[in-house]
Amino acid sequence: MNDITRGGQFLVKETKCEDVFTPEDFSEEQIMMRESVKEFVEKEIWPYKNRFENKDFKFTEEVMKKAGEMGFLSVAVPENYGGMGMGFVDTCLVCDYISGATGSFSTAFGAHTGIGTMPITLYGTEEQKQKYVPKLASGEWFGAYCLTEPGAGSDANSGKTKAVLSDDGSHYKITGQKMWISNAGFCSLFIVFARIEDDKNITGFIIENDTNNGIMIGEEEHKLGIRASSTRQVFFNETKVTVENMLSDRGNGFKIAMNSLNVGRIKLAAACLDAQRRVTTNAVIYANERVQFNTPISHFGAIRYKLAEMATSAYAGESATYRAAKSIEDRINSRIADGTSHQVAELKGVEEFAIECSILKVAVSEDIQNCADEGIQIYGGMGFSEDTPMESAWRDARIARIYEGTNEINRMLSVGMLIKKAMKGHIELIEPAMKVQEELMGIPSFDTPDYSELLSEEKEMIGKLKKAFLMVAGAAVQKFGMDLDSHQQLLMAAADILIEIYMAESTILRTEKLAKKEGESKVEEQIAMAKLYLYKAVDIVELRGKESIISFAEGDEQRMMLMGLRRFTKYTNMPNVVSLREIITSKLVAENSYCF
């Protein structure tokens, strides 16, 4: 186990490009799987986009059934429960390519295969798994997940739903109200979280959907986006559930909820990737067709700027998501090789990379929103019309920053988890932070480094950004200790620095790996995207680092740290960002699509 990278370790460990997995590394089977998912979307989903936008809930259910027949609902389910038992990368791959055409189907698919099925696969008893998982894997049944309540959103453990044991001890009676329940309108089974007596933590239960058992389903919610994903309130009134249908142990519900969300987060990032490719492709096609001042608008610098930025964020999102997915898969496989059960291996594997899952959730959900926003702008007035696919993409993208834990919660979680890991000794952060402090006291080197090797300066910049994080976060931890939790604005700033480091590093490593394989001249555009992404990342690190330093440090300490921040965000050779964007957009415009 020791040679495998731990979650969060990217911050203190240099990663070689050979050690990251990239979309260019998909196996033949994975490419076949991707093609069959793309074919399914082009045939069953994309042509019927208007049905989803017109709230055709029945149609969502029909397409889900078809996805079940194709086996797409069973990718992550072990073979002995009727699934395909494929690896974690495959799970993300299917989720990625099936989710890009409409958020309505994406949400139904994600809620069912993720939080609707997975808690039973990962926490269920053998009997529970045999009874329910095959039906969920085939699409004969659909699952829903009842955690959120009117008073319990981000604070999930504060739910009021009660579970009272019957006098004869054979069953619990569940009473309470759940809201924002995806798939509630057509599901056969709920995973419900309730509190037994005055337990500190909630408990999970598997409850079959039976209206004669005190279950009432509210009306469909009217939502900004994901219009044909069924979202309703669910009311339980003394709903009986046998003691055998408790999920895991009493009081373990909060843990189940949190770990289910970890998986949900990386899958949500994956679910935003094809949406970005699609939005970018549509924007390129439109920009090539739309003529103003006797010129296609794709020739104008203002439009070319947007297209380059859209493609770059999509490329970065892919790079980081698949890197993390493979880290998780390797971790799961090494635990299984050590004799751990699939159930525990998967749980621990994902839990190990919870920091990366939170980073990805935030970064990619914000990128798809920006991407769709710029997509509307490129379409101009037509982008605001329901006749083009941009406005629905923009509306659908908005929910991604809210569900699976808001981006604010995930930002604070990513830094909080990192500090906890350091306290437990799972990641060595204290020593590297001390080294950075020592370096600040020393005299900087004025030698001009040799940057003749491709991306060598960029990789050095990543190393410096890591030092910037260690300097800022290290000083904040020293100052506030465990009380850092109450300084949310500082945590958010530190999180933004952490996010940019992981995303930029993943993009650079993918590009370096690709250049070594294909030759530099063949991947000029990818090199330009890696450099452009890093340039923007450096700006964010500088901005957020400065904001933190001037808010908690004073006098000499403040001056010293600001000097350090300047040193850690300084290029030797600044990139020509306009020319980088030109390289990227020329390729997009020539290919008439997102083509990376």
Side-chain angles (χ1 to χ4, degrees):
M1 294 291 299
N2 297 340
D3 55 335
I4 286 194
T5 305
R6 299 197 71 133
Q9 239 179 7
F10 69 89
L11 192 64
V12 288
K13 198 176 165 184
E14 193 188 342
T15 307
K16 291 189 167 58
C17 71
E18 293 79 12
D19 297 336
V20 297
F21 180 84
T22 73
E24 289 77 30
D25 298 322
F26 288 149
S27 65
E28 277 182 29
E29 286 84 359
Q30 285 167 330
I31 290 166
M32 277 165 61
M33 182 57 122
R34 179 179 69 187
E35 293 315 307
S36 73
V37 173
K38 281 165 80 168
E39 196 182 309
F40 177 80
V41 171
E42 294 310 326
K43 188 169 149 230
E44 305 289 352
I45 300 178
W46 186 250
Y48 305 106
K49 202 167 165 60
N50 61 332
R51 292 185 70 174
F52 290 105
E53 292 316 304
N54 294 329
K55 305 186 181 180
D56 190 339
F57 300 105
K58 212 71 212 127
F59 185 62
T60 302
E61 190 183 346
E62 274 172 41
V63 181
M64 281 288 286
K65 286 225 177 295
K66 286 180 180 168
E69 285 158 21
M70 293 291 292
F72 298 145
L73 304 180
S74 74
V75 176
V77 172
E79 288 177 37
N80 42 346
Y81 307 112
M84 290 192 187
M86 295 171 93
F88 199 80
V89 172
D90 300 286
T91 302
C92 289
L93 178 71
V94 171
C95 188
D96 171 351
Y97 283 91
I98 211 162
S99 300
T102 163
S104 297
F105 180 80
S106 170
T107 302
F109 176 87
H112 170 72
T113 55
I115 50 182
T117 304
M118 205 175 43
I120 306 178
T121 319
L122 298 185
Y123 285 97
T125 61
E126 191 54 39
E127 293 70 33
Q128 288 167 347
K129 288 190 288 193
Q130 294 288 1
K131 184 175 179 185
Y132 295 117
V133 176
K135 288 179 176 169
L136 293 166
S138 66
E140 181 191 337
W141 279 26
F142 293 115
Y145 179 85
C146 301
L147 177 64
T148 306
E149 298 183 13
S154 296
D155 183 5
N157 203 28
S158 66
K160 303 273 187 290
T161 298
K162 282 278 177 215
V164 179
L165 189 61
S166 60
D167 293 341
D168 64 359
S170 66
H171 60 270
Y172 285 92
K173 288 180 183 166
I174 310 281
T175 302
Q177 174 187 4
K178 298 289 182 180
M179 69 192 302
W180 310 127
I181 307 307
S182 297
N183 297 352
F186 59 84
C187 73
S188 325
L189 171 152
F190 298 105
I191 287 165
V192 182
F193 295 91
R195 193 176 311 279
I196 302 170
E197 293 169 358
D198 294 325
D199 287 3
K200 179 173 172 250
N201 290 326
I202 48 182
T203 299
F205 296 90
I206 304 168
I207 301 181
E208 293 178 25
N209 188 0
D210 174 4
T211 45
N212 300 321
N213 184 19
I215 299 175
M216 195 181 94
I217 314 269
E219 292 297 306
E220 288 289 353
E221 300 285 353
H222 299 285
K223 308 186 294 291
L224 172 72
I226 57 169
R227 288 182 169 170
S229 94
S230 173
T231 312
R232 302 182 177 205
Q233 292 199 44
V234 182
F235 302 89
F236 298 97
N237 183 14
E238 299 212 332
T239 300
K240 290 181 179 179
V241 53
T242 62
V243 290
E244 288 78 25
N245 269 25
M246 183 189 283
L247 190 57
S248 184
D249 302 324
R250 175 173 174 169
N252 220 15
F254 186 58
K255 198 169 181 186
I256 297 172
M258 292 305 100
N259 281 332
S260 303
L261 289 174
N262 286 335
V263 185
R265 284 169 185 148
I266 185 169
K267 285 180 72 180
L268 179 60
C272 295
L273 295 176
D274 196 51
Q276 284 187 77
R277 293 185 203 105
R278 216 169 259 274
V279 166
T280 305
T281 292
N282 277 295
V284 172
I285 292 169
Y286 187 82
N288 277 335
E289 287 172 358
R290 172 81 170 154
V291 173
Q292 290 291 279
F293 312 105
N294 295 327
T295 310
I297 64 169
S298 62
H299 290 198
F300 297 129
I303 299 294
R304 293 173 82 79
Y305 173 103
K306 294 181 190 305
L307 293 173
E309 296 287 343
M310 290 157 79
T312 298
S313 71
Y315 179 73
E318 290 173 350
S319 308
T321 303
Y322 284 103
R323 173 190 181 181
K326 186 67 164 74
S327 296
I328 291 171
E329 184 174 295
D330 288 346
R331 191 79 185 179
I332 292 168
N333 290 343
S334 94
R335 282 188 174 272
I336 289 172
D338 287 350
T340 313
S341 71
H342 171 272
Q343 214 165 350
V344 175
E346 186 134 337
L347 265 176
K348 292 291 183 198
V350 176
E351 201 176 345
E352 179 62 55
F353 289 93
I355 295 167
E356 285 80 352
C357 293
S358 280
I359 286 173
L360 288 164
K361 192 275 180 184
V362 173
V364 189
S365 66
E366 291 179 2
D367 284 344
I368 177 56
Q369 185 83 63
N370 297 335
C371 186
D373 198 66
E374 291 289 42
I376 289 181
Q377 199 67 13
I378 289 167
Y379 270 66
M382 286 307 293
F384 206 69
S385 161
E386 288 190 2
D387 293 340
T388 62
M390 281 300 163
E391 63 86 42
S392 63
W394 185 87
R395 286 185 290 98
D396 283 353
R398 189 59 187 84
I399 187 61
R401 285 157 54 197
I402 297 170
Y403 58 23
E404 307 289 355
T406 65
N407 283 10
E408 290 68 29
I409 288 282
N410 274 291
R411 276 186 162 89
M412 291 184 288
L413 269 177
S414 61
V415 178
M417 289 188 288
L418 188 69
I419 292 167
K420 278 199 184 78
K421 277 196 152 195
M423 300 289 186
K424 284 182 178 170
H426 290 181
I427 299 183
E428 186 47 80
L429 280 187
I430 314 296
E431 200 180 315
M434 301 295 274
K435 275 193 181 141
V436 173
Q437 281 187 330
E438 281 166 32
E439 189 179 326
L440 290 180
M441 301 296 193
I443 297 163
S445 157
F446 293 107
D447 300 342
T448 307
D450 170 19
Y451 290 135
S452 53
E453 205 175 302
L454 175 70
L455 297 173
S456 50
E457 180 166 8
E458 286 70 21
K459 290 198 303 190
E460 188 175 291
M461 281 302 294
I462 291 286
K464 292 200 290 193
L465 297 184
K466 291 176 182 181
K467 288 177 182 176
F469 178 86
L470 289 166
M471 174 183 76
V472 174
V477 171
Q478 268 183 326
K479 180 156 185 142
F480 301 113
M482 293 316 277
D483 193 34
L484 187 58
D485 277 0
S486 57
H487 296 271
Q488 291 194 347
Q489 293 191 43
L490 293 178
L491 281 174
M492 302 278 279
D496 282 345
I497 299 174
L498 190 66
I499 289 164
E500 291 308 323
I501 290 169
Y502 190 71
M503 301 302 288
E505 182 180 65
S506 302
T507 310
I508 287 163
L509 291 173
R510 173 187 182 181
T511 307
E512 186 190 7
K513 188 174 187 180
L514 191 57
K516 282 184 176 175
K517 187 172 144 196
E518 302 286 343
E520 272 179 59
S521 58
K522 295 253 182 67
V523 294
E524 197 191 352
E525 297 81 17
Q526 285 91 333
I527 293 167
M529 288 192 285
K531 289 182 173 182
L532 179 61
Y533 191 93
L534 177 66
Y535 174 78
K536 307 275 289 224
V538 171
D539 264 2
I540 293 169
V541 173
E542 192 169 14
L543 184 74
R544 304 299 269 146
K546 181 175 162 188
E547 187 185 311
S548 300
I549 293 164
I550 61 177
S551 301
F552 75 77
E554 291 167 341
D556 284 346
E557 186 192 16
Q558 188 191 87
R559 275 192 296 278
M560 182 70 102
M561 285 175 73
L562 287 172
M563 185 194 75
L565 184 66
R566 278 193 297 276
R567 193 193 295 179
F568 296 144
T569 51
K570 186 169 173 278
Y571 277 92
T572 305
N573 307 291
M574 284 293 223
N576 177 342
V577 286
V578 171
S579 115
L580 292 177
R581 289 194 197 103
E582 272 305 309
I583 292 168
I584 300 160
T585 307
S586 298
K587 177 81 167 171
L588 292 167
V589 167
E591 298 282 340
N592 209 24
S593 72
Y594 176 85
C595 50
F596 305 112

